[in-house]
Amino acid sequence: MKILLVEDDNSIREMITGFLERDGYTVRAVGNGLEGLALMKIGPPDAVITDIKMPEMDGLEFLKRSRENCDVPFIMITGYADLELAIESLNNGAAYFIHKPVNFIELKAALNGLREKKELERKLKQERAKLLHMSRLADLGQLMAGLAHEINN
């Protein structure tokens, strides 16, 4: 799973990157939302983990601007216990909201939840394709039966 980490604090960014890489994730890490947007244009990751309070472009603005082009799941992290900020993040499409200091068990659970959701969506898409195919075959069968009936009469 490819993760884009956007965090302005170097030590926190390195700590989270190290944790994620040890857990098998591929991580691209940058220091602000503008850099994050630039990387998203190159190719969207499977998930984004972003701090909220950052210079140049905060995490909430980064989330909103990212939503203009893609629907990558976001995990928002912040050192501020602000209920309104959490609600605004979730209302703008964030999947999770995690407080600093980051609890790595909680972060891992959030990433596992995103992975499971993606797998369920993939399976649902496959099932829908199968049902559509079966429906088309049934329609074709009815058409053939109707044609055979007309030919015989």
Side-chain angles (χ1 to χ4, degrees):
M1 188 175 206
K2 296 181 294 184
I3 306 291
L4 172 58
L5 172 62
V6 183
E7 167 62 62
D8 62 316
D9 185 304
N10 289 334
S11 61
I12 293 173
R13 188 171 59 242
E14 289 173 9
M15 183 177 59
I16 294 173
T17 298
F19 167 78
L20 293 171
E21 289 177 342
R22 282 189 299 278
D23 217 32
Y25 294 97
T26 301
V27 181
R28 292 184 295 173
V30 295
N32 64 59
L34 290 174
E35 293 173 342
L37 279 178
L39 283 179
M40 297 272 287
K41 288 179 183 176
I42 293 170
D46 296 312
V48 173
I49 301 169
T50 184
D51 189 11
I52 293 179
K53 301 288 185 179
M54 296 182 292
E56 295 186 52
M57 178 188 291
D58 68 23
L60 193 54
E61 183 64 23
F62 172 49
L63 168 64
K64 290 175 185 176
R65 295 210 21 215
S66 294
R67 285 288 175 258
E68 295 171 4
N69 300 312
C70 66
D71 195 27
V72 172
F74 270 66
I75 297 172
M76 310 298 282
I77 57 175
T78 186
Y80 301 91
D82 184 341
L83 182 60
E84 288 180 25
L85 191 58
I87 291 169
E88 187 174 1
S89 296
L90 296 171
N91 283 339
N92 280 283
Y96 294 93
F97 189 88
I98 297 175
H99 291 282
K100 288 181 183 177
V102 174
N103 177 324
F104 290 111
I105 294 170
E106 184 179 6
L107 181 57
K108 187 173 181 174
L111 289 167
N112 286 338
L114 293 178
R115 183 182 293 134
E116 288 171 9
K117 181 181 179 194
K118 186 175 182 176
E119 179 62 17
L120 287 172
E121 287 171 347
R122 185 190 65 77
K123 287 180 181 180
L124 180 60
K125 187 176 180 180
Q126 284 179 333
E127 288 302 313
R128 284 183 180 152
K130 284 181 193 176
L131 289 172
L132 181 60
H133 179 70
M134 290 171 50
S135 172
R136 288 181 179 157
L137 287 177
D139 290 345
L140 182 59
Q142 289 174 352
L143 178 64
M144 296 297 286
L147 288 173
H149 179 71
E150 286 185 31
I151 291 171
N152 290 331
N153 291 331

